[in-house]
Amino acid sequence: MNTAAHDTATIAQRYIAAWNETDAARRAQLIEAAWTADAHYADPLAQASGREQIGALIGAVHQRYPGFRFSLFGTPEAHGDNLRFSWTLGPSGAEDLIQGTDFARLDGGRLQSVTGFLDKVPVGA
C-alpha cells in the first residue's frame, strides 16, 4: 500500500472511530486530532460547525441509535485534498440498517469539511 492510500485509510478510520466513541471526553480528543478547528459537517439531517458542535452532533446520534456502530464500507479514495468513503450503521453484531457516503475536504491531513449523503435509510430511521 502506498503512503497516500495508507493516509487515506487512516483518515477515514479516525473519522469512523470518532463517530463510534460514546465517551464525550474521548470523542472530543479524537475530533481534535482529526478535524481542523474551523471544521464543518453537513448531511441531509444535520449541520455542525466547529469541533464542539461536531462532537455534540455525534453524541445526539448515539442517543438516537444506542448500541449502533459505524463501519467503513469499501475502500476510501482520495484525489488531492478530497476524500470519499462509504460507511454503514447498524446495531452491533446485526445487519447494517443505514448506509452513506461522505465527501471530505482535507487541510494538512485533517478533516476541514465533510458532506454526507444517505444512500440507504429504512422507513422510520
Side-chain angles (χ1 to χ4, degrees), residues 1 12 14-15 17 20 23 34 43 56 66 92 94 105 107 125:
M1 181 182 295
R14 288 179 183 162
Y15 174 84
N20 281 332
D23 179 81
D43 69 26
S92 248
R105 182 129 179 97
D107 182 7

Side-chain angles (χ1 to χ4, degrees), residues 5 9 21 25 27 32 40 46 53 58 63 68 85 87 90 92 98 104 109 113 119:
E21 182 55 59
R27 184 170 54 243
E32 186 173 341
H40 182 76
Q53 282 187 12
I58 294 171
Q63 288 180 352
F68 279 36
F85 54 92
W87 49 265
S92 248
I98 301 170
S113 69
D119 301 327

Side-chain angles (χ1 to χ4, degrees), residues 82-105:
N82 299 289
L83 175 63
R84 174 182 74 174
F85 54 92
S86 295
W87 49 265
T88 60
L89 174 64
S92 248
E95 182 181 348
D96 296 316
L97 300 175
I98 301 170
Q99 294 178 353
T101 301
D102 289 357
F103 294 88
R105 182 129 179 97

Side-chain angles (χ1 to χ4, degrees), residues 18-38:
W19 278 92
N20 281 332
E21 182 55 59
T22 57
D23 179 81
R26 176 73 184 125
R27 184 170 54 243
Q29 292 173 339
L30 293 171
I31 292 169
E32 186 173 341
W35 295 71
T36 63
D38 63 345

